[in-house]
Amino acid sequence: MQVFLTRPSYSEAYAMLTSKSKTTMVMPPNGLMYIAGALERVGHTVQIVDGEAEHLSIEAIVERAKAFHPDVVEIGRASCR
């Protein structure tokens, strides 16, 4: 099974909700990495796309997902510090 895991970029949304224009630290998507490891261990093919770290728009993430042809898509939540 092909599994696509992503965390959308939250910088723009965060800036609209607060007076800050950028977060001070980007945390890795640990939850998605744990899920990916467990899925790979049982034989699934997994791709993780971190929209925040790569500064990707939602449209760019969707294009990456389409190119991967996943059976399952999981969208992680944004976490910022």
Side-chain angles (χ1 to χ4, degrees):
M1 183 183 330
Q2 301 253 109
V3 182
F4 185 83
L5 306 175
T6 187
R7 173 175 66 175
S9 177
Y10 54 83
S11 289
E12 289 182 30
Y14 183 72
M16 288 189 307
L17 297 173
T18 69
S19 61
K20 296 181 180 185
S21 61
K22 284 196 173 234
T23 58
T24 56
M25 179 188 297
V26 176
M27 302 299 290
N30 289 330
L32 295 181
M33 292 188 294
Y34 290 133
I35 292 168
L39 289 169
E40 287 177 339
R41 216 171 300 124
V42 295
H44 299 292
T45 303
V46 181
Q47 182 178 32
I48 298 176
V49 173
D50 187 348
E52 181 62 17
E54 297 185 53
H55 307 289
L56 298 174
S57 67
I58 295 296
E59 293 81 9
I61 293 171
V62 169
E63 288 306 312
R64 287 220 192 154
K66 286 180 182 179
F68 184 63
H69 303 290
D71 298 302
V72 176
V73 174
E74 196 278 329
I75 302 171
R77 68 178 179 84
S79 60
C80 51
R81 303 245 182 241

